[in-house]
């Protein structure tokens, strides 16, 4: 079961272009399984460009894994962020583009998974029939929901639910702010499933 991984993305019924991208593959031989969802921030030109640049940077960094896993996946986001910033400066048509992303690496041999997260894409762990939200939405409405001030239903109806606080491409030199990228790790047990998704899923499915 450990070699089963799958990704899918769809333009949907409201837009003509798909601003999402994903990674679902093995890495470092068969040591790691890499899962990543990348969502170009809507409402501005170039969301799909930002998502593509991020995907390319993440894959390039993971081609030659080195160092501790958490440090490596932070590097992935830092490289992605810098490439987006450079392209924004080079092409003024994309000067507002950015993307949000969640990256997970499962170390199958050692029964661990590691993740990095920026924005409002999500990581869930399915274990023993329970779906547990691991990542935290980096948005004002996400904060209100997690602090118990809004229910999930109220959060979904809030007029500012799509306004995010953090994204790749918002600011340069992410590593100077140690709180910008959410990271973590947890046991990855037999029978566990990881689900990474954008708000294209969570806006539609409770």
């Amino acid at each position: 079961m450990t070699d089963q991984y799958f990704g899918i993305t769809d333009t949907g019924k409201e837009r003509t272009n798909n601003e999402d991208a994903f990674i679902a593959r093995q890495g470092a031989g068969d040591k790691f399984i890499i899962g990543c969802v990348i969502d170009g921030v809507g409402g501005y030109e170039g969301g799909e460009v930002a998502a593509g640049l991020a995907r390319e940077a993440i894959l390039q960094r993971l081609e030659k894994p080195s160092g501790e896993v958490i440090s490596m996946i932070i590097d992935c986001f830092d490289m992605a962020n810098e490439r987006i910033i450079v392209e924004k400066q080079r092409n003024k048509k994309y000067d507002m583009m950015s993307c949000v992303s969640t990256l997970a690496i499962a170390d199958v041999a050692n029964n661990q998974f590691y993740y990095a997260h920026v924005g409002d894409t999500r990581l869930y762990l399915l274990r023993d029939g329970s779906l547990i939200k691991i990542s935290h939405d980096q948005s004002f409405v996400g904060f209100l929901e997690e602090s118990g001030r809004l229910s999930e239903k109220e959060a979904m109806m809030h007029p500012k639910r799509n306004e995010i606080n953090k994204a790749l491409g918002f600011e340069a030199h992410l590593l100077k702010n140690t709180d910008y990228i959410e990271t973590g790790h947890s046991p990855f047990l037999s029978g566990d499933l990881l689900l990474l998704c954008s708000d294209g899923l969570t806006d539609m499915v409770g």
Side-chain angles (χ1 to χ4, degrees):
M1 292 293 288
T2 57
D3 62 352
Q4 294 195 9
Y5 43 91
F6 181 71
I8 189 170
T9 182
D10 188 271
T11 304
K13 296 181 178 180
E14 293 187 10
R15 296 183 180 174
T16 57
N17 65 320
N18 190 343
E19 296 184 330
D20 290 358
F22 69 86
I23 301 167
R25 63 171 63 179
Q26 289 184 314
D30 59 357
K31 181 179 180 182
F32 295 144
I33 295 175
I34 304 165
C36 184
V37 59
I38 310 164
D39 184 2
V41 174
Y44 301 107
E45 190 87 26
E48 71 280 6
V49 176
L53 289 169
R55 184 179 186 277
E56 182 181 272
I58 291 166
L59 286 173
Q60 182 178 342
R61 176 62 182 89
L62 295 178
E63 278 181 3
K64 298 179 180 179
S66 60
E68 296 183 0
V69 178
I70 291 291
S71 296
M72 182 171 62
I73 58 179
I74 289 174
D75 281 351
C76 288
F77 277 8
D78 185 52
M79 285 178 60
N81 185 71
E82 292 306 311
R83 290 192 185 182
I84 294 168
I85 296 288
V86 167
E87 182 61 20
K88 288 171 66 169
Q89 295 169 345
R90 190 187 71 82
N91 191 337
K92 294 304 179 183
K93 182 172 73 169
Y94 300 143
D95 64 351
M96 296 295 290
M97 74 175 179
S98 58
C99 65
V100 293
S101 183
T102 305
L103 169 62
I105 291 184
D107 183 344
V108 177
N110 294 307
N111 299 111
Q112 294 282 318
F113 76 87
Y114 305 81
Y115 73 93
H117 165 75
V118 172
D120 64 352
T121 47
R122 291 183 177 179
L123 170 65
Y124 291 89
L125 170 66
L126 180 65
R127 177 180 291 166
D128 297 330
S130 295
L131 191 64
I132 304 161
K133 184 167 171 278
I134 302 296
S135 59
H136 299 83
D137 294 350
Q138 294 171 336
S139 66
F140 174 66
V141 172
F143 168 75
L144 292 178
E145 182 181 353
E146 292 191 0
S147 63
R149 301 177 197 182
L150 289 177
S151 67
E152 180 182 6
K153 184 176 180 180
E154 289 169 335
M156 292 302 300
M157 299 297 291
H158 198 283
K160 294 186 177 182
R161 65 187 175 87
N162 291 322
E163 295 183 13
I164 53 175
N165 298 332
K166 298 177 182 179
L168 301 177
F170 270 12
E171 60 183 64
H173 310 301
L174 291 190
L175 299 186
K176 289 184 177 180
N177 183 350
T178 56
D179 295 329
Y180 201 90
I181 302 172
E182 177 189 348
T183 61
H185 67 93
S186 181
F188 189 55
L189 308 178
S190 178
D192 284 354
L193 292 170
L194 297 178
L195 168 66
L196 295 87
C197 61
S198 72
D199 58 5
L201 180 65
T202 54
D203 280 359
M204 299 298 292
V205 181

